Structure formats: structure tokens, C-alpha cells
Short mmCIF file of all heavy atoms in Angstrom, two decimals:
data_model
loop_
_atom_site.label_atom_id
_atom_site.label_comp_id
_atom_site.label_asym_id
_atom_site.label_seq_id
_atom_site.Cartn_x
_atom_site.Cartn_y
_atom_site.Cartn_z
N ALA A 57 10.10 26.05 25.47
CA ALA A 57 9.30 27.07 25.09
C ALA A 57 7.74 26.57 25.06
O ALA A 57 6.89 27.29 25.47
CB ALA A 57 9.61 27.57 23.61
N ALA A 58 7.54 25.37 24.63
CA ALA A 58 6.12 24.80 24.65
C ALA A 58 5.69 24.71 26.18
O ALA A 58 4.48 25.07 26.33
CB ALA A 58 6.12 23.42 24.04
N GLN A 59 6.54 24.29 27.02
CA GLN A 59 6.13 24.17 28.42
C GLN A 59 5.81 25.63 29.02
O GLN A 59 5.00 25.73 29.94
CB GLN A 59 7.20 23.52 29.32
CG GLN A 59 7.21 21.98 28.92
CD GLN A 59 8.42 21.32 29.56
OE1 GLN A 59 9.41 21.94 29.83
NE2 GLN A 59 8.30 20.02 29.80
N ALA A 60 6.47 26.63 28.53
CA ALA A 60 6.25 27.96 28.95
C ALA A 60 5.13 28.70 28.24
O ALA A 60 4.83 29.84 28.56
CB ALA A 60 7.55 28.75 28.79
N GLY A 61 4.41 27.83 27.38
CA GLY A 61 3.25 28.48 26.63
C GLY A 61 3.63 29.41 25.48
O GLY A 61 2.85 30.19 24.91
N ARG A 62 4.97 29.36 25.10
CA ARG A 62 5.50 30.31 24.04
C ARG A 62 5.90 29.50 22.76
O ARG A 62 6.57 30.05 21.95
CB ARG A 62 6.74 31.03 24.59
CG ARG A 62 6.49 31.85 25.75
CD ARG A 62 5.63 33.11 25.46
NE ARG A 62 6.24 33.79 24.24
CZ ARG A 62 5.60 34.48 23.40
NH1 ARG A 62 4.31 34.48 23.46
NH2 ARG A 62 6.14 34.99 22.36
N GLY A 63 5.38 28.21 22.56
CA GLY A 63 5.81 27.59 21.44
C GLY A 63 4.85 26.31 21.25
O GLY A 63 4.25 25.94 22.18
N PRO A 64 4.94 25.69 20.02
CA PRO A 64 4.13 24.58 19.79
C PRO A 64 4.53 23.31 20.37
O PRO A 64 5.85 23.14 20.60
CB PRO A 64 4.05 24.50 18.23
CG PRO A 64 5.35 25.03 17.91
CD PRO A 64 5.59 26.13 18.88
N THR A 65 3.71 22.31 20.55
CA THR A 65 4.17 20.95 20.90
C THR A 65 4.31 20.13 19.63
O THR A 65 3.64 20.54 18.61
CB THR A 65 3.14 20.33 21.87
OG1 THR A 65 1.90 20.21 21.26
CG2 THR A 65 2.99 20.96 23.15
N PRO A 66 5.00 19.03 19.59
CA PRO A 66 5.14 18.31 18.31
C PRO A 66 3.82 17.62 17.92
O PRO A 66 2.96 17.31 18.81
CB PRO A 66 6.17 17.29 18.61
CG PRO A 66 6.27 17.16 20.15
CD PRO A 66 5.74 18.43 20.69
N GLU A 67 3.61 17.46 16.68
CA GLU A 67 2.63 16.70 16.20
C GLU A 67 3.16 15.73 15.06
O GLU A 67 3.41 16.12 13.98
CB GLU A 67 1.43 17.49 15.54
CG GLU A 67 0.27 16.59 15.06
CD GLU A 67 -0.88 17.40 14.58
OE1 GLU A 67 -1.65 18.04 15.45
OE2 GLU A 67 -1.08 17.40 13.44
N VAL A 68 3.51 14.58 15.47
CA VAL A 68 4.22 13.66 14.59
C VAL A 68 3.14 12.67 13.99
O VAL A 68 2.19 12.19 14.57
CB VAL A 68 5.09 12.60 15.38
CG1 VAL A 68 5.79 11.64 14.52
CG2 VAL A 68 6.16 13.49 16.15
N ARG A 69 3.11 12.58 12.61
CA ARG A 69 2.17 11.77 11.91
C ARG A 69 2.97 10.64 11.07
O ARG A 69 3.82 11.08 10.29
CB ARG A 69 1.29 12.55 10.97
CG ARG A 69 0.48 13.64 11.60
CD ARG A 69 -0.30 14.43 10.63
NE ARG A 69 -1.18 15.34 11.37
CZ ARG A 69 -2.49 15.08 11.51
NH1 ARG A 69 -3.05 13.90 11.07
NH2 ARG A 69 -3.19 15.90 12.21
N ILE A 70 2.66 9.47 11.28
CA ILE A 70 3.32 8.35 10.68
C ILE A 70 2.18 7.48 9.94
O ILE A 70 1.18 7.00 10.65
CB ILE A 70 4.12 7.51 11.55
CG1 ILE A 70 5.18 8.37 12.16
CG2 ILE A 70 4.73 6.37 10.68
CD1 ILE A 70 6.04 7.69 13.25
N ASP A 71 2.20 7.30 8.64
CA ASP A 71 1.28 6.39 7.93
C ASP A 71 2.04 5.10 7.80
O ASP A 71 3.15 4.97 7.46
CB ASP A 71 0.97 6.91 6.53
CG ASP A 71 0.25 8.28 6.67
OD1 ASP A 71 -0.34 8.59 7.71
OD2 ASP A 71 0.25 9.00 5.65
N PHE A 72 1.32 4.04 8.02
CA PHE A 72 1.83 2.56 7.91
C PHE A 72 0.72 1.60 7.52
O PHE A 72 -0.52 1.88 7.59
CB PHE A 72 2.49 2.25 9.17
CG PHE A 72 1.59 2.09 10.35
CD1 PHE A 72 0.92 0.97 10.68
CD2 PHE A 72 1.34 3.26 11.13
CE1 PHE A 72 0.09 0.86 11.76
CE2 PHE A 72 0.43 3.17 12.24
CZ PHE A 72 -0.20 1.96 12.51
N ARG A 73 1.16 0.46 7.16
CA ARG A 73 0.24 -0.72 6.96
C ARG A 73 0.71 -1.79 7.96
O ARG A 73 1.86 -1.79 8.34
CB ARG A 73 0.42 -1.29 5.57
CG ARG A 73 -0.10 -0.45 4.44
CD ARG A 73 0.03 -1.10 3.08
NE ARG A 73 -0.33 -0.19 2.03
CZ ARG A 73 -1.59 -0.04 1.50
NH1 ARG A 73 -2.53 -0.82 2.03
NH2 ARG A 73 -1.82 0.82 0.62
N LEU A 74 -0.17 -2.68 8.27
CA LEU A 74 0.22 -3.85 9.12
C LEU A 74 0.93 -4.80 8.22
O LEU A 74 0.34 -5.23 7.11
CB LEU A 74 -1.07 -4.42 9.75
CG LEU A 74 -1.80 -3.52 10.70
CD1 LEU A 74 -3.08 -4.26 11.22
CD2 LEU A 74 -0.94 -3.10 11.81
N ALA A 75 1.98 -5.24 8.60
CA ALA A 75 2.91 -6.09 7.75
C ALA A 75 2.17 -7.48 7.49
O ALA A 75 2.26 -8.04 6.42
CB ALA A 75 4.20 -6.44 8.38
N ASP A 76 1.43 -7.96 8.44
CA ASP A 76 0.74 -9.26 8.31
C ASP A 76 -0.63 -9.12 7.64
O ASP A 76 -1.19 -10.17 7.26
CB ASP A 76 0.66 -10.02 9.68
CG ASP A 76 1.99 -10.30 10.22
OD1 ASP A 76 2.99 -10.55 9.43
OD2 ASP A 76 2.14 -10.30 11.45
N LEU A 77 -1.21 -7.99 7.60
CA LEU A 77 -2.51 -7.72 6.96
C LEU A 77 -2.47 -6.44 6.17
O LEU A 77 -3.34 -5.56 6.38
CB LEU A 77 -3.65 -7.65 8.09
CG LEU A 77 -3.81 -8.89 8.91
CD1 LEU A 77 -4.59 -8.65 10.17
CD2 LEU A 77 -4.40 -10.02 8.04
N PRO A 78 -1.72 -6.36 5.10
CA PRO A 78 -1.64 -5.10 4.37
C PRO A 78 -2.92 -4.86 3.68
O PRO A 78 -3.23 -3.57 3.31
CB PRO A 78 -0.50 -5.39 3.27
CG PRO A 78 -0.42 -6.83 3.25
CD PRO A 78 -0.82 -7.40 4.60
N GLU A 79 -3.78 -5.80 3.33
CA GLU A 79 -5.03 -5.45 2.69
C GLU A 79 -5.97 -4.63 3.50
O GLU A 79 -7.02 -4.14 3.06
CB GLU A 79 -5.82 -6.76 2.30
CG GLU A 79 -6.17 -7.67 3.41
CD GLU A 79 -5.06 -8.64 4.04
OE1 GLU A 79 -3.87 -8.49 3.61
OE2 GLU A 79 -5.37 -9.41 4.86
N LEU A 80 -5.77 -4.47 4.75
CA LEU A 80 -6.67 -3.67 5.67
C LEU A 80 -6.40 -2.11 5.38
O LEU A 80 -7.13 -1.31 5.88
CB LEU A 80 -6.31 -3.87 7.16
CG LEU A 80 -6.75 -5.23 7.68
CD1 LEU A 80 -6.43 -5.33 9.11
CD2 LEU A 80 -8.24 -5.49 7.48
N GLY A 81 -5.37 -1.74 4.62
CA GLY A 81 -5.23 -0.35 4.20
C GLY A 81 -4.21 0.32 5.13
O GLY A 81 -3.43 -0.23 5.90
N VAL A 82 -4.18 1.63 4.92
CA VAL A 82 -3.14 2.52 5.67
C VAL A 82 -3.77 2.91 6.96
O VAL A 82 -4.85 3.44 7.01
CB VAL A 82 -2.81 3.63 4.72
CG1 VAL A 82 -1.84 4.59 5.53
CG2 VAL A 82 -2.18 3.27 3.42
N PHE A 83 -2.93 2.86 7.98
CA PHE A 83 -3.24 3.43 9.31
C PHE A 83 -2.41 4.67 9.59
O PHE A 83 -1.38 4.76 8.96
CB PHE A 83 -2.96 2.33 10.41
CG PHE A 83 -3.93 1.18 10.31
CD1 PHE A 83 -3.70 0.13 9.50
CD2 PHE A 83 -5.02 1.16 11.12
CE1 PHE A 83 -4.58 -0.97 9.41
CE2 PHE A 83 -5.94 0.05 11.12
CZ PHE A 83 -5.73 -0.97 10.19
N ASN A 84 -2.86 5.46 10.59
CA ASN A 84 -2.08 6.59 10.86
C ASN A 84 -1.83 6.61 12.38
O ASN A 84 -2.75 6.42 13.21
CB ASN A 84 -2.89 7.90 10.61
CG ASN A 84 -3.45 7.99 9.25
OD1 ASN A 84 -4.54 7.41 8.91
ND2 ASN A 84 -2.68 8.51 8.34
N LEU A 85 -0.64 6.96 12.73
CA LEU A 85 -0.20 7.11 14.10
C LEU A 85 0.02 8.73 14.41
O LEU A 85 0.79 9.25 13.53
CB LEU A 85 1.05 6.43 14.45
CG LEU A 85 1.69 6.75 15.75
CD1 LEU A 85 0.86 6.30 16.94
CD2 LEU A 85 3.14 6.22 15.86
N VAL A 86 -0.76 9.33 15.16
CA VAL A 86 -0.49 10.76 15.44
C VAL A 86 -0.11 10.83 16.87
O VAL A 86 -0.84 10.30 17.70
CB VAL A 86 -1.81 11.50 15.16
CG1 VAL A 86 -1.63 13.01 15.50
CG2 VAL A 86 -2.27 11.35 13.80
N SER A 87 0.95 11.49 17.24
CA SER A 87 1.52 11.50 18.53
C SER A 87 2.02 12.90 18.76
O SER A 87 2.62 13.57 17.98
CB SER A 87 2.59 10.51 18.68
OG SER A 87 3.18 10.58 19.99
N SER A 88 1.96 13.31 20.03
CA SER A 88 2.61 14.57 20.52
C SER A 88 3.82 14.30 21.43
O SER A 88 4.22 15.11 22.22
CB SER A 88 1.61 15.53 21.21
OG SER A 88 1.08 14.75 22.35
N SER A 89 4.36 13.05 21.28
CA SER A 89 5.51 12.62 22.07
C SER A 89 6.76 13.35 21.70
O SER A 89 7.16 13.33 20.49
CB SER A 89 5.65 11.13 21.91
OG SER A 89 6.89 10.72 22.44
#
């Protein structure tokens, strides 16, 4: 449906911290995969 222009594409949002540097705060991964 998305390829036909009749539906949305995904918008995945994942919040995470770097395991080795958690003090840097929260990062966001946003993907339409």
C-alpha cells in the first residue's frame, strides 16, 4: 500500500544509551526500514 501511495511508511524510533559511555545520555535511532 505504501509503494502504491495508499499507505504510510514505517517510522521506527528507538531510544538507547551507549553501553561503554552511558554518561553521554540518550540517543535516538529513527528509521523507515
Side-chain angles (χ1 to χ4, degrees):
Q59 290 172 332
R62 297 289 309 145
T65 58
E67 183 175 290
V68 177
R69 294 176 178 268
I70 300 174
D71 297 338
F72 63 91
R73 292 181 186 271
L74 298 177
D76 296 332
L77 296 167
E79 65 275 7
L80 291 180
V82 177
F83 291 82
N84 308 89
L85 168 69
V86 179
S87 174
S88 60
S89 166

